[in-house]
Amino acid sequence: MRVLAWAAMAAALGVSACGPSPQKAETTQPTVRIGGPFQLVDTAGRPVTEKALLGKPTVIFFGFTYCPEVCPTTMAELTNWLKALGPDADRLNVVFVSLDPERDTPAQLKTYLSNFDPRIQGFTGTPETVAAAAKAYRVYYAKVPTDDGGYTIDHSSAVYLFDKNGGFVEPIGYGTPAERAIGQLRRLARG
């Protein structure tokens, strides 16, 4: 008799654990927020916050100027994608946020970005403000020592897309085919 009672209880718990509850089915809001407040500086050293990006859709990538592969590749792709968008590209904010505030001064960032589309803005800050921005955007990064006594930075490689109100739309993954990425950016720009 105890075995039957236990089996009936287990079956009931299994059903309630797997089946949708009426309350959960009604709430479809995302539970993970991407983006938020930040206090950084631009390539001229002027303070900038997330409020400067409101009113236009925004494309954000977090990286560092000493990155040997992912960052220059992504910046070159962004430059090509913006060119392919034509006039739609002017409807976007495009931002590169440094994860290496020790080396990426505003001047270093300005020099680095001069190799890419001039519409790409550069933001950096103190280690604390950069860490806060990365946390708000759920960007992973970690300083990794190299054999020569220097360091590199492991980091997330996605490009994040936001609507004109600062709401997260979707990412563009590293290595996404150009046609797909351009389509994502065109939809974002025409929002």
Side-chain angles (χ1 to χ4, degrees), residues 35-46:
F38 62 77
Q39 295 183 340
L40 300 170
V41 295
D42 65 14
T43 55
R46 296 175 296 224

Side-chain angles (χ1 to χ4, degrees), residues 32-55:
V32 176
R33 179 177 166 79
I34 298 176
F38 62 77
Q39 295 183 340
L40 300 170
V41 295
D42 65 14
T43 55
R46 296 175 296 224
V48 63
T49 71
E50 76 288 351
K51 292 176 183 166
L53 303 176
L54 298 179

Side-chain angles (χ1 to χ4, degrees), residues 80-94:
N80 291 335
W81 298 342
L82 292 173
K83 184 177 180 182
L85 285 176
D88 282 343
D90 294 334
R91 298 178 181 182
L92 300 171
N93 294 310
V94 184

Side-chain angles (χ1 to χ4, degrees), residues 27-169:
T27 57
T28 57
Q29 295 293 322
T31 56
V32 176
R33 179 177 166 79
I34 298 176
F38 62 77
Q39 295 183 340
L40 300 170
V41 295
D42 65 14
T43 55
R46 296 175 296 224
V48 63
T49 71
E50 76 288 351
K51 292 176 183 166
L53 303 176
L54 298 179
K56 289 172 72 172
T58 298
V59 179
I60 296 183
F61 178 74
F62 287 76
F64 65 113
T65 68
Y66 289 79
C67 180
E69 183 180 341
V70 172
C71 299
T73 299
T74 301
M75 289 297 99
E77 288 177 338
L78 270 172
T79 295
N80 291 335
W81 298 342
L82 292 173
K83 184 177 180 182
L85 285 176
D88 282 343
D90 294 334
R91 298 178 181 182
L92 300 171
N93 294 310
V94 184
V95 180
F96 176 92
V97 179
S98 173
L99 294 169
D100 187 9
E102 292 176 46
R103 294 184 293 197
D104 288 345
T105 62
Q108 168 64 18
L109 211 48
K110 184 175 182 178
T111 300
Y112 178 75
L113 292 176
S114 69
N115 297 299
F116 306 104
D117 188 288
R119 289 171 287 203
I120 301 174
Q121 304 172 65
F123 297 166
T124 187
T126 65
E128 294 79 17
T129 60
V130 166
K135 183 177 180 182
Y137 284 79
R138 298 192 175 274
V139 171
Y140 161 80
Y141 73 106
K143 194 173 180 179
V144 179
T146 56
D147 292 339
D148 63 1
Y151 67 89
T152 187
I153 295 179
D154 284 345
H155 62 92
S156 303
S157 60
V159 174
Y160 298 95
L161 308 184
F162 294 86
D163 64 25
K164 65 181 181 181
N165 299 314
F168 176 68
V169 176

